[in-house]
PDB file of all heavy atoms in Angstrom:
ATOM      1  N   LEU A1321      -9.556   2.721 -20.864  1.00  0.00           N
ATOM      2  CA  LEU A1321      -9.529   3.359 -19.559  1.00  0.00           C
ATOM      3  C   LEU A1321     -10.519   2.647 -18.639  1.00  0.00           C
ATOM      4  O   LEU A1321     -11.604   2.250 -19.074  1.00  0.00           O
ATOM      5  CB  LEU A1321      -9.911   4.839 -19.678  1.00  0.00           C
ATOM      6  CG  LEU A1321      -8.869   5.786 -20.290  1.00  0.00           C
ATOM      7  CD1 LEU A1321      -9.512   7.128 -20.618  1.00  0.00           C
ATOM      8  CD2 LEU A1321      -7.694   5.976 -19.354  1.00  0.00           C
ATOM      9  N   ILE A1322     -10.144   2.500 -17.393  1.00  0.00           N
ATOM     10  CA  ILE A1322     -10.998   1.830 -16.417  1.00  0.00           C
ATOM     11  C   ILE A1322     -11.296   2.791 -15.271  1.00  0.00           C
ATOM     12  O   ILE A1322     -10.391   3.414 -14.716  1.00  0.00           O
ATOM     13  CB  ILE A1322     -10.340   0.549 -15.876  1.00  0.00           C
ATOM     14  CG1 ILE A1322     -10.166  -0.462 -17.010  1.00  0.00           C
ATOM     15  CG2 ILE A1322     -11.167  -0.063 -14.756  1.00  0.00           C
ATOM     16  CD1 ILE A1322      -9.466  -1.739 -16.593  1.00  0.00           C
ATOM     17  N   ILE A1323     -12.575   2.917 -14.944  1.00  0.00           N
ATOM     18  CA  ILE A1323     -13.028   3.718 -13.810  1.00  0.00           C
ATOM     19  C   ILE A1323     -13.531   2.752 -12.746  1.00  0.00           C
ATOM     20  O   ILE A1323     -14.408   1.924 -13.020  1.00  0.00           O
ATOM     21  CB  ILE A1323     -14.156   4.684 -14.234  1.00  0.00           C
ATOM     22  CG1 ILE A1323     -13.700   5.572 -15.393  1.00  0.00           C
ATOM     23  CG2 ILE A1323     -14.601   5.539 -13.049  1.00  0.00           C
ATOM     24  CD1 ILE A1323     -14.823   6.363 -16.028  1.00  0.00           C
ATOM     25  N   ASN A1324     -12.980   2.847 -11.549  1.00  0.00           N
ATOM     26  CA  ASN A1324     -13.357   1.890 -10.518  1.00  0.00           C
ATOM     27  C   ASN A1324     -13.287   2.542  -9.145  1.00  0.00           C
ATOM     28  O   ASN A1324     -12.780   3.654  -8.991  1.00  0.00           O
ATOM     29  CB  ASN A1324     -12.448   0.660 -10.565  1.00  0.00           C
ATOM     30  CG  ASN A1324     -13.130  -0.587 -10.058  1.00  0.00           C
ATOM     31  OD1 ASN A1324     -14.219  -0.533  -9.491  1.00  0.00           O
ATOM     32  ND2 ASN A1324     -12.485  -1.728 -10.244  1.00  0.00           N
ATOM     33  N   ARG A1325     -13.811   1.856  -8.171  1.00  0.00           N
ATOM     34  CA  ARG A1325     -13.712   2.306  -6.785  1.00  0.00           C
ATOM     35  C   ARG A1325     -12.594   1.529  -6.102  1.00  0.00           C
ATOM     36  O   ARG A1325     -12.323   0.380  -6.436  1.00  0.00           O
ATOM     37  CB  ARG A1325     -15.042   2.069  -6.058  1.00  0.00           C
ATOM     38  CG  ARG A1325     -15.511   0.660  -6.188  1.00  0.00           C
ATOM     39  CD  ARG A1325     -16.894   0.402  -5.648  1.00  0.00           C
ATOM     40  NE  ARG A1325     -17.212  -1.017  -5.841  1.00  0.00           N
ATOM     41  CZ  ARG A1325     -18.270  -1.611  -5.315  1.00  0.00           C
ATOM     42  NH1 ARG A1325     -19.126  -0.928  -4.588  1.00  0.00           N
ATOM     43  NH2 ARG A1325     -18.494  -2.897  -5.528  1.00  0.00           N
ATOM     44  N   GLY A1326     -11.954   2.167  -5.144  1.00  0.00           N
ATOM     45  CA  GLY A1326     -10.847   1.518  -4.468  1.00  0.00           C
ATOM     46  C   GLY A1326     -10.837   1.811  -2.987  1.00  0.00           C
ATOM     47  O   GLY A1326     -11.382   2.804  -2.516  1.00  0.00           O
ATOM     48  N   GLN A1328     -12.439   1.183  -0.447  1.00  0.00           N
ATOM     49  CA  GLN A1328     -13.689   0.861   0.217  1.00  0.00           C
ATOM     50  C   GLN A1328     -14.753   0.579  -0.832  1.00  0.00           C
ATOM     51  O   GLN A1328     -14.511   0.715  -2.039  1.00  0.00           O
ATOM     52  CB  GLN A1328     -14.129   1.984   1.166  1.00  0.00           C
ATOM     53  CG  GLN A1328     -13.143   2.266   2.296  1.00  0.00           C
ATOM     54  CD  GLN A1328     -13.712   3.189   3.338  1.00  0.00           C
ATOM     55  OE1 GLN A1328     -14.853   3.028   3.774  1.00  0.00           O
ATOM     56  NE2 GLN A1328     -12.911   4.169   3.756  1.00  0.00           N
ATOM     57  N   LYS A1329     -15.964   0.245  -0.371  1.00  0.00           N
ATOM     58  CA  LYS A1329     -17.051  -0.104  -1.284  1.00  0.00           C
ATOM     59  C   LYS A1329     -18.218   0.868  -1.212  1.00  0.00           C
ATOM     60  O   LYS A1329     -19.159   0.748  -2.004  1.00  0.00           O
ATOM     61  CB  LYS A1329     -17.567  -1.521  -0.973  1.00  0.00           C
ATOM     62  CG  LYS A1329     -16.508  -2.606  -1.121  1.00  0.00           C
ATOM     63  CD  LYS A1329     -15.999  -2.708  -2.537  1.00  0.00           C
ATOM     64  CE  LYS A1329     -15.002  -3.847  -2.685  1.00  0.00           C
ATOM     65  NZ  LYS A1329     -14.443  -3.958  -4.048  1.00  0.00           N
ATOM     66  N   ALA A1333     -15.147   5.435  -0.874  1.00  0.00           N
ATOM     67  CA  ALA A1333     -14.139   4.810  -1.722  1.00  0.00           C
ATOM     68  C   ALA A1333     -13.479   5.846  -2.621  1.00  0.00           C
ATOM     69  O   ALA A1333     -14.079   6.867  -2.972  1.00  0.00           O
ATOM     70  CB  ALA A1333     -14.794   3.720  -2.571  1.00  0.00           C
ATOM     71  N   LEU A1334     -12.238   5.584  -2.987  1.00  0.00           N
ATOM     72  CA  LEU A1334     -11.531   6.435  -3.936  1.00  0.00           C
ATOM     73  C   LEU A1334     -12.021   6.147  -5.347  1.00  0.00           C
ATOM     74  O   LEU A1334     -12.282   4.986  -5.701  1.00  0.00           O
ATOM     75  CB  LEU A1334     -10.022   6.184  -3.869  1.00  0.00           C
ATOM     76  CG  LEU A1334      -9.306   6.580  -2.572  1.00  0.00           C
ATOM     77  CD1 LEU A1334      -7.859   6.108  -2.623  1.00  0.00           C
ATOM     78  CD2 LEU A1334      -9.355   8.089  -2.372  1.00  0.00           C
ATOM     79  N   CYS A1335     -12.148   7.182  -6.144  1.00  0.00           N
ATOM     80  CA  CYS A1335     -12.491   7.032  -7.557  1.00  0.00           C
ATOM     81  C   CYS A1335     -11.176   6.907  -8.333  1.00  0.00           C
ATOM     82  O   CYS A1335     -10.430   7.876  -8.462  1.00  0.00           O
ATOM     83  CB  CYS A1335     -13.306   8.221  -8.058  1.00  0.00           C
ATOM     84  SG  CYS A1335     -13.798   8.073  -9.789  1.00  0.00           S
ATOM     85  N   ILE A1336     -10.897   5.706  -8.832  1.00  0.00           N
ATOM     86  CA  ILE A1336      -9.611   5.395  -9.454  1.00  0.00           C
ATOM     87  C   ILE A1336      -9.768   5.299 -10.964  1.00  0.00           C
ATOM     88  O   ILE A1336     -10.689   4.654 -11.470  1.00  0.00           O
ATOM     89  CB  ILE A1336      -9.042   4.080  -8.888  1.00  0.00           C
ATOM     90  CG1 ILE A1336      -8.797   4.232  -7.383  1.00  0.00           C
ATOM     91  CG2 ILE A1336      -7.760   3.692  -9.594  1.00  0.00           C
ATOM     92  CD1 ILE A1336      -8.322   2.971  -6.715  1.00  0.00           C
ATOM     93  N   ILE A1337      -8.853   5.935 -11.677  1.00  0.00           N
ATOM     94  CA  ILE A1337      -8.814   5.891 -13.142  1.00  0.00           C
ATOM     95  C   ILE A1337      -7.520   5.209 -13.554  1.00  0.00           C
ATOM     96  O   ILE A1337      -6.428   5.650 -13.170  1.00  0.00           O
ATOM     97  CB  ILE A1337      -8.889   7.302 -13.745  1.00  0.00           C
ATOM     98  CG1 ILE A1337     -10.208   7.969 -13.340  1.00  0.00           C
ATOM     99  CG2 ILE A1337      -8.749   7.265 -15.255  1.00  0.00           C
ATOM    100  CD1 ILE A1337     -10.276   9.443 -13.703  1.00  0.00           C
ATOM    101  N   SER A1338      -7.631   4.127 -14.322  1.00  0.00           N
ATOM    102  CA  SER A1338      -6.457   3.359 -14.749  1.00  0.00           C
ATOM    103  C   SER A1338      -6.372   3.352 -16.272  1.00  0.00           C
ATOM    104  O   SER A1338      -7.393   3.259 -16.960  1.00  0.00           O
ATOM    105  CB  SER A1338      -6.538   1.916 -14.239  1.00  0.00           C
ATOM    106  OG  SER A1338      -6.687   1.887 -12.834  1.00  0.00           O
ATOM    107  N   LEU A1407      -4.502   6.964 -11.442  1.00  0.00           N
ATOM    108  CA  LEU A1407      -4.609   8.110 -10.544  1.00  0.00           C
ATOM    109  C   LEU A1407      -5.967   8.047  -9.869  1.00  0.00           C
ATOM    110  O   LEU A1407      -6.866   7.320 -10.320  1.00  0.00           O
ATOM    111  CB  LEU A1407      -4.433   9.428 -11.302  1.00  0.00           C
ATOM    112  CG  LEU A1407      -5.408   9.766 -12.440  1.00  0.00           C
ATOM    113  CD1 LEU A1407      -6.700  10.409 -11.913  1.00  0.00           C
ATOM    114  CD2 LEU A1407      -4.756  10.732 -13.426  1.00  0.00           C
ATOM    115  N   HIS A1408      -6.109   8.770  -8.771  1.00  0.00           N
ATOM    116  CA  HIS A1408      -7.433   8.863  -8.156  1.00  0.00           C
ATOM    117  C   HIS A1408      -7.838  10.326  -8.102  1.00  0.00           C
ATOM    118  O   HIS A1408      -7.000  11.228  -8.018  1.00  0.00           O
ATOM    119  CB  HIS A1408      -7.457   8.217  -6.765  1.00  0.00           C
ATOM    120  CG  HIS A1408      -6.771   9.005  -5.695  1.00  0.00           C
ATOM    121  ND1 HIS A1408      -7.373  10.076  -5.051  1.00  0.00           N
ATOM    122  CD2 HIS A1408      -5.552   8.882  -5.126  1.00  0.00           C
ATOM    123  CE1 HIS A1408      -6.560  10.570  -4.164  1.00  0.00           C
ATOM    124  NE2 HIS A1408      -5.438   9.873  -4.177  1.00  0.00           N
ATOM    125  N   GLY A1410      -9.914  11.633  -5.811  1.00  0.00           N
ATOM    126  CA  GLY A1410     -10.563  11.832  -4.518  1.00  0.00           C
ATOM    127  C   GLY A1410     -11.635  10.790  -4.288  1.00  0.00           C
ATOM    128  O   GLY A1410     -11.808   9.849  -5.062  1.00  0.00           O
ATOM    129  N   PHE A1412     -15.587   9.407  -3.762  1.00  0.00           N
ATOM    130  CA  PHE A1412     -16.896   9.681  -4.344  1.00  0.00           C
ATOM    131  C   PHE A1412     -17.682  10.634  -3.451  1.00  0.00           C
ATOM    132  O   PHE A1412     -18.425  11.488  -3.939  1.00  0.00           O
ATOM    133  CB  PHE A1412     -17.666   8.378  -4.542  1.00  0.00           C
ATOM    134  CG  PHE A1412     -17.133   7.524  -5.656  1.00  0.00           C
ATOM    135  CD1 PHE A1412     -16.150   6.574  -5.420  1.00  0.00           C
ATOM    136  CD2 PHE A1412     -17.610   7.670  -6.951  1.00  0.00           C
ATOM    137  CE1 PHE A1412     -15.651   5.788  -6.443  1.00  0.00           C
ATOM    138  CE2 PHE A1412     -17.121   6.883  -7.989  1.00  0.00           C
ATOM    139  CZ  PHE A1412     -16.137   5.945  -7.730  1.00  0.00           C
ATOM    140  N   ILE A1443     -19.264   9.009 -13.879  1.00  0.00           N
ATOM    141  CA  ILE A1443     -17.966   9.610 -14.175  1.00  0.00           C
ATOM    142  C   ILE A1443     -17.674   9.389 -15.657  1.00  0.00           C
ATOM    143  O   ILE A1443     -17.732   8.252 -16.147  1.00  0.00           O
ATOM    144  CB  ILE A1443     -16.837   8.994 -13.328  1.00  0.00           C
ATOM    145  CG1 ILE A1443     -17.183   9.084 -11.818  1.00  0.00           C
ATOM    146  CG2 ILE A1443     -15.512   9.679 -13.614  1.00  0.00           C
ATOM    147  CD1 ILE A1443     -17.328  10.492 -11.307  1.00  0.00           C
ATOM    148  N   ARG A1460     -18.663   5.399 -16.681  1.00  0.00           N
ATOM    149  CA  ARG A1460     -19.188   4.370 -15.780  1.00  0.00           C
ATOM    150  C   ARG A1460     -20.087   5.029 -14.744  1.00  0.00           C
ATOM    151  O   ARG A1460     -19.762   6.102 -14.225  1.00  0.00           O
ATOM    152  CB  ARG A1460     -18.058   3.617 -15.087  1.00  0.00           C
ATOM    153  CG  ARG A1460     -18.535   2.298 -14.448  1.00  0.00           C
ATOM    154  CD  ARG A1460     -17.399   1.488 -13.891  1.00  0.00           C
ATOM    155  NE  ARG A1460     -17.839   0.148 -13.541  1.00  0.00           N
ATOM    156  CZ  ARG A1460     -17.099  -0.755 -12.920  1.00  0.00           C
ATOM    157  NH1 ARG A1460     -15.847  -0.449 -12.576  1.00  0.00           N
ATOM    158  NH2 ARG A1460     -17.562  -1.951 -12.637  1.00  0.00           N
ATOM    159  N   PHE A1462     -22.483   4.707 -11.116  1.00  0.00           N
ATOM    160  CA  PHE A1462     -22.553   4.036  -9.822  1.00  0.00           C
ATOM    161  C   PHE A1462     -23.870   4.398  -9.161  1.00  0.00           C
ATOM    162  O   PHE A1462     -24.215   5.576  -9.057  1.00  0.00           O
ATOM    163  CB  PHE A1462     -21.381   4.462  -8.921  1.00  0.00           C
ATOM    164  CG  PHE A1462     -20.031   4.105  -9.477  1.00  0.00           C
ATOM    165  CD1 PHE A1462     -19.393   4.936 -10.390  1.00  0.00           C
ATOM    166  CD2 PHE A1462     -19.401   2.936  -9.092  1.00  0.00           C
ATOM    167  CE1 PHE A1462     -18.145   4.614 -10.898  1.00  0.00           C
ATOM    168  CE2 PHE A1462     -18.148   2.601  -9.598  1.00  0.00           C
ATOM    169  CZ  PHE A1462     -17.525   3.438 -10.506  1.00  0.00           C
ATOM    170  N   LEU A1473     -22.389   2.252  -2.697  1.00  0.00           N
ATOM    171  CA  LEU A1473     -21.971   2.679  -4.031  1.00  0.00           C
ATOM    172  C   LEU A1473     -21.800   1.421  -4.878  1.00  0.00           C
ATOM    173  O   LEU A1473     -20.856   0.665  -4.672  1.00  0.00           O
ATOM    174  CB  LEU A1473     -20.660   3.463  -3.945  1.00  0.00           C
ATOM    175  CG  LEU A1473     -20.111   4.032  -5.243  1.00  0.00           C
ATOM    176  CD1 LEU A1473     -20.818   5.333  -5.598  1.00  0.00           C
ATOM    177  CD2 LEU A1473     -18.606   4.304  -5.103  1.00  0.00           C
ATOM    178  N   PRO A1475     -21.602  -0.266  -8.773  1.00  0.00           N
ATOM    179  CA  PRO A1475     -21.503  -0.042 -10.225  1.00  0.00           C
ATOM    180  C   PRO A1475     -22.730  -0.596 -10.943  1.00  0.00           C
ATOM    181  O   PRO A1475     -23.224  -1.678 -10.608  1.00  0.00           O
ATOM    182  CB  PRO A1475     -20.236  -0.810 -10.621  1.00  0.00           C
ATOM    183  CG  PRO A1475     -19.468  -0.990  -9.350  1.00  0.00           C
ATOM    184  CD  PRO A1475     -20.482  -1.082  -8.261  1.00  0.00           C
ATOM    185  N   SER A1477     -22.714  -1.424 -14.083  1.00  0.00           N
ATOM    186  CA  SER A1477     -22.224  -2.370 -15.083  1.00  0.00           C
ATOM    187  C   SER A1477     -20.950  -3.005 -14.571  1.00  0.00           C
ATOM    188  O   SER A1477     -20.257  -2.440 -13.723  1.00  0.00           O
ATOM    189  CB  SER A1477     -21.976  -1.672 -16.429  1.00  0.00           C
ATOM    190  OG  SER A1477     -21.008  -0.648 -16.289  1.00  0.00           O
ATOM    191  N   TRP A1478     -20.625  -4.179 -15.104  1.00  0.00           N
ATOM    192  CA  TRP A1478     -19.457  -4.901 -14.595  1.00  0.00           C
ATOM    193  C   TRP A1478     -18.147  -4.286 -15.075  1.00  0.00           C
ATOM    194  O   TRP A1478     -17.092  -4.547 -14.501  1.00  0.00           O
ATOM    195  CB  TRP A1478     -19.523  -6.363 -15.022  1.00  0.00           C
ATOM    196  CG  TRP A1478     -19.239  -6.584 -16.482  1.00  0.00           C
ATOM    197  CD1 TRP A1478     -20.133  -6.540 -17.502  1.00  0.00           C
ATOM    198  CD2 TRP A1478     -17.968  -6.868 -17.065  1.00  0.00           C
ATOM    199  NE1 TRP A1478     -19.510  -6.783 -18.704  1.00  0.00           N
ATOM    200  CE2 TRP A1478     -18.173  -6.990 -18.471  1.00  0.00           C
ATOM    201  CE3 TRP A1478     -16.679  -7.030 -16.564  1.00  0.00           C
ATOM    202  CZ2 TRP A1478     -17.146  -7.266 -19.355  1.00  0.00           C
ATOM    203  CZ3 TRP A1478     -15.654  -7.304 -17.459  1.00  0.00           C
ATOM    204  CH2 TRP A1478     -15.885  -7.421 -18.825  1.00  0.00           C
ATOM    205  N   ASP A1479     -18.207  -3.436 -16.125  1.00  0.00           N
ATOM    206  CA  ASP A1479     -16.985  -2.876 -16.679  1.00  0.00           C
ATOM    207  C   ASP A1479     -17.243  -1.445 -17.129  1.00  0.00           C
ATOM    208  O   ASP A1479     -18.393  -1.015 -17.286  1.00  0.00           O
ATOM    209  CB  ASP A1479     -16.513  -3.718 -17.871  1.00  0.00           C
ATOM    210  CG  ASP A1479     -15.090  -3.403 -18.291  1.00  0.00           C
ATOM    211  OD1 ASP A1479     -14.393  -2.710 -17.528  1.00  0.00           O
ATOM    212  OD2 ASP A1479     -14.671  -3.843 -19.374  1.00  0.00           O
ATOM    213  N   THR A1480     -16.167  -0.716 -17.347  1.00  0.00           N
ATOM    214  CA  THR A1480     -16.251   0.637 -17.883  1.00  0.00           C
ATOM    215  C   THR A1480     -16.589   0.574 -19.370  1.00  0.00           C
ATOM    216  O   THR A1480     -16.005  -0.221 -20.108  1.00  0.00           O
ATOM    217  CB  THR A1480     -14.910   1.376 -17.689  1.00  0.00           C
ATOM    218  OG1 THR A1480     -14.562   1.345 -16.301  1.00  0.00           O
ATOM    219  CG2 THR A1480     -14.995   2.811 -18.167  1.00  0.00           C
TER     220      THR A1480
END
Side-chain angles (χ1 to χ4, degrees):
L1321 286 167
I1322 296 177
I1323 304 169
N1324 208 350
R1325 53 187 180 170
Q1328 299 190 45
K1329 300 297 183 182
L1334 294 173
C1335 182
I1336 298 176
I1337 299 171
S1338 304
L1407 60 84
H1408 74 81
F1412 288 90
I1443 305 298
R1460 196 174 191 186
F1462 298 84
L1473 182 81
S1477 60
W1478 73 273
D1479 194 12
T1480 305

